[in-house]
């Protein structure tokens, strides 16, 4: 490891000192980095289902005496309502994009 560091420091000193007779340090051109892939965004349907499930679980746990049962029922109902609402929004967005 020390030998590698020593070689690097020698190469760095040669590249900065123009008066030496050492061979010039050549730089290789790096290949251009590929463009980063865009993350796939969630649809409104998926977001609505997740938010609805969370809200339904919390509401169901608060409202029902049996917390676990209420949370389970609230999750199912909330996810369904949220997904339905998100699907309506997705349809409107798709319709608006088709008009443009």
């Amino acid at each position: 490891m020390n030998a590698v560091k020593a070689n690097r420091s020698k190469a760095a000193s040669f590249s900065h000192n123009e008066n030496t007779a050492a061979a010039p340090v050549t730089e290789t051109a790096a290949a251009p980095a590929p463009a980063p892939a865009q993350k796939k965004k969630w649809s409104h349907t998926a977001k609505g289902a997740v938010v609805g499930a969370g809200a339904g679980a919390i509401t169901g746990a608060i409202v029902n005496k049996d917390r676990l049962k209420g949370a389970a029922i609230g999750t199912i109902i909330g996810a369904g309502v949220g997904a339905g609402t998100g699907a309506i929004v997705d349809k409107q967005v798709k319709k608006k994009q088709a008009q443009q």
Side-chain angles (χ1 to χ4, degrees), residues 4-92:
V4 173
K5 287 182 182 178
N7 287 338
R8 284 187 183 167
S9 65
K10 286 180 186 177
S13 66
F14 285 133
S15 65
H16 293 298
N17 191 352
E18 296 176 7
N19 296 330
T20 60
V25 176
T26 58
E27 294 183 18
T28 58
Q38 288 184 342
K39 291 184 178 180
K40 187 174 180 184
K41 295 183 180 181
W42 282 32
S43 66
H44 289 95
T45 304
K47 285 188 234 178
V50 170
V51 171
I58 293 169
T59 304
I62 292 171
V63 171
N64 200 340
K65 289 181 184 179
D66 183 6
R67 303 270 186 238
L68 184 61
K69 189 176 181 181
I73 293 170
T75 300
I76 293 168
I77 293 171
V81 171
T85 305
I88 292 169
V89 173
D90 277 339
K91 208 179 264 190
Q92 289 174 348

